[in-house]
Amino acid sequence: MSAASSDLIHLILGILGVLLVASVIGYVLQRRLSPDGSNAAIENLNARIKAWWVMVILIGIAFLAGRAGVILLFAFCSFAALREFITLTNTRRADHWALAAAFFVALPLQYYLLWAEQYGIYSIFIPVYAFLFMPIIAVLRGDTERFLIRIAEVQWALMICVFCASHVPALLTLHIPGYEGRNVLLIAFLVIVVQLSDVLQYVWGKLFGRHKIAPKLSPSKTVEGFVGGVASATLIGAALWWITPFTPLQAGLLAFVITLMGFFGGLVMSAIKRDRGVKDWGHLIEGHGGLIDRLDSVVFSAPIFFHLVRYWWSLS
Amino acid sequence: MGKPVAAWLTKPVAAAIVLFARAITAVRAIWAESGVPSERCVYFANHSSNGDFILIWAVLPPRLRQRTRPVAGADYWLKSRLKSFIGRDVFNAVLIERVREARTEDPVEQMAAAIDAGCSLILFPEGTRNLTEAPLQPFKSGLFHLAKMRPDIDLVPVWINNLNRVMPKGEFVPIPLICTVTFGNALRIGADEEKADFLVRAQAALLALSPKQMGNSE
């Protein structure tokens, strides 16, 4: 077994251990405080923990399956996220071909380019080509009603759900000296730090949250949750330096950037939900809402993390 | 019409169609407070796409699904061999003749016979796909006559949301969008309820299930 896969297996076992502890805590809380299932917060917590099991197992399988598994997993995530996003937009009949192109041309092409490691084209394919071709396809139908809004929404949906999300598997394409064959651990680092940051913000907020940080956007986010979550996720990121090409200090700094981007990503996506009058993006994941509800912070941190690592560590 | 296609094909084709519908729409059922209907009943739904009954079918628990038959226009579903295979063989539709002059059987009696045989029905009381701006078109009288003939049967309103955006009329590539199927509380016809009153009441019950705008679609 190579060092990379043994590290990966250690990591997965560690995460499963954390989940096991969480499940036991959830079970005890339920027995003590909500035996009849009446405490909504505890029921939601347990639904979330259960969904985490499923997500971790799916991601673990994809990671062990290697490059194809990871790319397929994120292509599916992009698809489900784009579906949630477009569902909430102002599409009209005239957008039909533009939307079909987004789902069935832009999305697969972006992931194909990733697979082919064509950095020069995949890093501009959506911001340049899709940006120009989407409105061209839409305008051919001659419907000008709310044209700018419609185009902007489809473009943004593609940027968020496909372009940004694809920067997670894009980490596999980096060539870092001395880190060959271990890139999947970079993805693990990003996903673990972002998701733990979300969880820890939630936990700190529930325990000590007093002051709302953005009451208009997200009633559950507090200053205490934010500070505690970011600080603890940064420390955990630093402690995970051994799976990365970074020193502990660098790992901590990158984890800090990741958690900040994740936090603000959550706020932005929350603003969109408020605007559209919905509480969740969808219902794909029991207890979490839609896929975007879980992915929002990853999506915002992935491209920044990717480019920071690429700029300072990668040869390609 | 050609000879019937092999019977063993119907189940896999039905499963494939339902799987495809789920992959595109991630369809989710929202049940009424009274829960999943347990007995046979008549589901009546808004009609905006040819896939409407497939979505209802997809969210019904399998044991109910097996005994649930869509009511569909024979003039449309017998037009080609493929359509009649899908409509008649795969989905076991109760095919009724919508054009009065071409009728050899009374549609209401056909439906009542299917109910008597223990089946539930999926009915689109608007009669044809709604291509207007209005959320619902006026109901045709079939639902009323059926309810009169079988007054003990539960009539369950079902609102199908978003499918018209997935596949607008005239398009053949579906856009993946999340759809929901909302079931309302069952209603029954009153002993001496007039046709107009009943149809207005049924229509209102269905309309009440339509969500407040999600995307500002057409």
Side-chain angles (χ1 to χ4, degrees), chain B residues 5-217:
Chain B
V5 189
W8 59 266
L9 252 177
T10 58
K11 281 207 168 164
V13 170
I17 292 177
V18 168
L19 193 70
F20 178 71
R22 282 188 172 281
I24 293 290
T25 66
V27 62
R28 182 172 62 95
I30 302 170
W31 300 103
E33 297 135 39
S34 49
V36 181
S38 52
E39 286 185 56
R40 65 190 172 164
C41 57
V42 173
Y43 304 99
F44 64 100
N46 58 320
H47 197 15
S48 56
S49 153
N50 280 336
D52 282 334
F53 73 83
I54 295 170
L55 280 203
I56 296 183
W57 229 61
V59 297
L60 283 176
R63 78 192 151 77
L64 293 183
R65 185 192 296 169
Q66 278 159 13
R67 306 189 66 83
T68 302
R69 304 176 62 185
V71 178
D75 41 298
Y76 179 83
W77 286 100
L78 294 181
K79 223 185 274 173
S80 72
R81 223 179 131 183
L82 179 68
K83 276 181 182 161
S84 74
F85 171 66
I86 293 192
R88 194 183 46 191
D89 301 329
V90 175
F91 292 108
N92 192 18
V94 179
L95 292 174
I96 59 168
E97 189 52 66
R98 284 182 292 193
V99 185
R100 199 174 284 271
E101 292 71 35
R103 273 178 197 162
T104 53
E105 271 186 288
D106 178 29
V108 179
E109 275 173 12
Q110 277 177 275
M111 292 187 253
I115 291 172
D116 295 341
C119 290
S120 293
L121 297 178
I122 299 172
L123 189 63
F124 300 104
E126 293 168 273
T128 183
R129 273 180 288 167
N130 182 2
L131 303 172
T132 67
E133 296 285 319
L136 269 181
Q137 304 177 92
F139 281 11
K140 303 246 195 271
S141 55
L143 184 66
F144 168 76
H145 293 303
L146 180 63
K148 267 285 179 223
M149 201 179 274
R150 295 286 178 275
D152 298 338
I153 196 92
D154 276 341
L155 310 169
V156 179
V158 183
W159 186 271
I160 300 164
N161 193 45
N162 242 359
L163 196 60
N164 55 331
R165 288 172 70 204
V166 171
M167 189 99 107
K169 188 178 165 74
E171 309 287 356
F172 58 93
V173 179
I175 303 296
L177 293 171
I178 295 168
C179 295
T180 53
V181 176
T182 309
F183 292 77
N185 288 315
L187 53 93
R188 287 188 181 185
I189 193 161
D192 39 33
E193 195 169 3
E194 295 290 334
K195 182 165 116 178
D197 296 339
F198 169 77
L199 289 179
V200 165
R201 184 162 71 94
Q203 202 176 0
L206 180 52
L207 201 53
L209 303 175
S210 74
K212 311 285 164 281
Q213 298 252 290
M214 273 212 299
N216 269 327
S217 62

Side-chain angles (χ1 to χ4, degrees), chain A residues 79 83-84 86-94 96-97 99-100 103-104 141 146 276 278 281-283, chain B residues 22-26 28 162 165-169 171-178 214-218:
Chain A
F79 175 81
R83 183 170 62 187
E84 287 173 3
I86 301 284
T87 298
L88 295 188
T89 62
N90 292 280
T91 64
R92 288 170 64 81
R93 284 278 308 270
H96 199 83
W97 279 112
L99 293 172
F103 276 99
F104 301 120
R141 286 276 183 98
R146 295 196 303 264
R276 301 278 84 188
V278 295
W281 282 95
H283 300 271
Chain B
R22 282 188 172 281
I24 293 290
T25 66
R28 182 172 62 95
N162 242 359
R165 288 172 70 204
V166 171
M167 189 99 107
K169 188 178 165 74
E171 309 287 356
F172 58 93
V173 179
I175 303 296
L177 293 171
I178 295 168
M214 273 212 299
N216 269 327
S217 62
E218 286 174 276

Side-chain angles (χ1 to χ4, degrees), chain A residues 26-37:
Chain A
Y27 178 74
V28 171
L29 281 176
Q30 202 217 355
R31 286 296 293 272
R32 288 263 177 88
L33 301 171
S34 176
D36 50 352

Side-chain angles (χ1 to χ4, degrees), chain A residues 11-27 45-60 195-196 199 288:
Chain A
L11 206 59
I12 293 173
L13 289 178
I15 294 168
L16 292 180
V18 171
L19 275 181
L20 203 61
V21 172
S23 294
V24 170
I25 294 175
Y27 178 74
L45 179 72
N46 281 320
R48 277 178 187 240
I49 295 171
K50 258 189 219 138
W52 272 120
W53 277 103
V54 178
M55 288 189 276
V56 164
I57 290 168
L58 281 179
I59 295 174
Q195 297 298 347
L196 273 183
V199 172
H288 295 256

